[in-house]
């Protein structure tokens, strides 16, 4: 199952209540650099929580280099032509998230966003930072189904959304409701590809990467499958 660190921007707090600021931060991120810095190359850049190996992954969305000019333009439109100062909270004892935080600090310098990193003990992070602070690094595992991996985090009534980045987008809700009600895989794929584009256009945060998923098993193990969400499916497994 893929572990996906994220850069969370609380949509109820300034400056991230302005979607242009969230988009500017997103445009300044270098997904390929995240993989090298945080995972030493053992991961895959992704624009969403749907792994690139999943059949619903939107391959039409290309992961390009940071767009510094556009990011600066959006900040200026939002009233931050001279940049801003931000505090980024990272949990102590989570080395990949700490490395993500250091990378974010450097990636935001070209758009004149100055980041002060605050390392917070894990218990304090859970109680005082997660879902409460404006800007922090976090992460989550995918769930066994595409719906349970997406809906709780991105729907305005989602259980994790309300304790993470407090994101509200009426069009996103419409798409995720349609995906949940879809009766065929093709209908689902259409809606989830729309979801990925919406999450890129109006991001609640940044999905930094997915960790590579590798399986190994003996020849006498039969019926083993790895699900597209990178879970181990053992329901049909036998040992001969």
């Amino acid at each position: 199952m893929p572990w996906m660190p994220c850069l969370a921007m609380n949509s109820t707090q300034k400056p991230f209540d302005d979607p242009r600021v969230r988009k500017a931060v997103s445009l300044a991120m270098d997904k390929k650099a995240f993989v090298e810095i945080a995972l030493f190359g053992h991961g895959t850049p992704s624009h969403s929580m749907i792994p690139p190996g999943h059949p619903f992954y939107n391959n039409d969305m290309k992961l390009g280099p940071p767009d510094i000019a556009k990011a600066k333009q959006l900040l200026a439109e939002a009233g931050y032509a001279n940049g801003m100062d931000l505090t980024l909270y990272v949990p102590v004892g989570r080395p990949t998230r700490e490395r993500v935080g250091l990378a974010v600090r450097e990636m935001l310098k070209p758009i004149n966003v100055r980041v002060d990193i605050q390392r917070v003990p894990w218990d304090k992070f859970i109680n005082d930072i997660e879902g409460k602070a404006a800007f922090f690094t976090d992460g989550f595992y995918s769930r066994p189904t595409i719906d349970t991996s997406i809906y709780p985090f991105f729907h305005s009534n989602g259980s994790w959304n309300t304790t993470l980045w407090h994101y509200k987008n009426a069009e996103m809700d419409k798409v995720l409701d349609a995906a949940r009600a879809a009766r065929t895989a093709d209908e689902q794929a259409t809606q989830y590809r729309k979801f990925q584009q919406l999450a890129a256009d109006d991001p609640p945060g940044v999905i930094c990467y997915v960790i590579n998923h590798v399986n190994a098993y003996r020849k006498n193990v039969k019926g083993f499958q790895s699900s597209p969400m990178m879970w181990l499916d053992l329901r049909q497994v036998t040992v001969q």
Side-chain angles (χ1 to χ4, degrees):
M1 52 188 172
W3 175 254
M4 294 166 284
C6 75
L7 180 65
M9 297 177 273
N10 192 323
S11 298
T12 65
Q13 297 190 32
K14 290 185 178 300
F16 302 114
D17 57 342
D18 191 322
R20 293 171 294 188
V21 174
R22 301 197 304 270
K23 178 67 172 179
V25 169
S26 178
L27 287 172
M29 299 295 100
D30 186 333
K31 298 292 187 73
K32 292 182 179 179
F34 275 135
V35 171
E36 296 302 321
I37 294 168
L39 297 177
F40 310 112
H42 298 291
T44 303
S46 180
H47 52 64
S48 81
M49 293 174 68
I50 300 178
H54 195 282
F56 294 169
Y57 185 78
N58 192 336
N59 286 297
D60 293 331
M61 298 172 60
K62 305 304 180 184
L63 289 171
D67 191 339
I68 301 303
K70 180 65 175 177
K72 284 184 174 181
Q73 177 187 334
L74 288 171
L75 285 182
E77 291 173 2
Y80 300 98
N82 296 321
M84 65 181 75
D85 296 292
L86 295 174
T87 298
L88 175 65
Y89 296 94
V90 300
V92 173
R94 300 296 189 274
T96 54
R97 296 194 211 178
E98 292 188 70
R99 291 195 290 270
V100 163
L102 292 172
V104 168
R105 183 181 66 186
E106 299 307 307
M107 291 176 191
L108 289 179
K109 285 181 179 179
I111 63 171
N112 298 320
V113 173
R114 300 162 292 277
V115 175
D116 174 42
I117 294 177
Q118 292 293 317
R119 299 172 71 247
V120 182
W122 181 244
D123 58 342
K124 182 176 177 62
F125 183 85
I126 293 296
N127 291 324
D128 300 335
I129 301 300
E130 191 174 52
K132 300 179 179 70
F135 200 36
F136 55 97
T137 61
D138 211 328
F140 28 78
Y141 288 111
S142 69
R143 273 60 177 170
T145 69
I146 192 76
D147 174 80
T148 53
S149 294
I150 302 299
Y151 195 100
F153 294 93
F154 287 85
H155 195 282
S156 61
N157 294 322
S159 56
W160 280 102
N161 177 25
T162 55
T163 57
L164 185 63
W165 38 43
H166 305 276
Y167 174 70
K168 291 186 178 182
N169 181 316
E171 184 62 23
M172 178 69 80
D173 288 352
K174 180 180 177 181
V175 166
L176 293 182
D177 287 337
R180 175 168 281 189
R183 306 182 75 173
T184 68
D186 286 344
E187 291 175 0
Q188 279 188 308
T190 296
Q191 298 303 326
Y192 283 120
R193 287 173 187 141
K194 289 181 181 178
F195 149 74
Q196 290 165 79
Q197 188 62 62
L198 280 170
D201 293 339
D202 179 26
V206 177
I207 303 299
C208 301
Y209 53 75
V210 294
I211 293 179
N212 288 346
H213 183 70
V214 179
N215 300 313
Y217 52 93
R218 295 177 179 177
K219 291 181 180 180
N220 63 336
V221 175
K222 307 297 181 183
F224 170 81
Q225 292 185 359
S226 180
S227 82
M229 289 306 289
M230 301 184 184
W231 281 75
L232 306 184
D233 188 344
L234 306 178
R235 291 174 293 179
Q236 304 299 321
V237 167
T238 60
V239 178
Q240 300 178 0

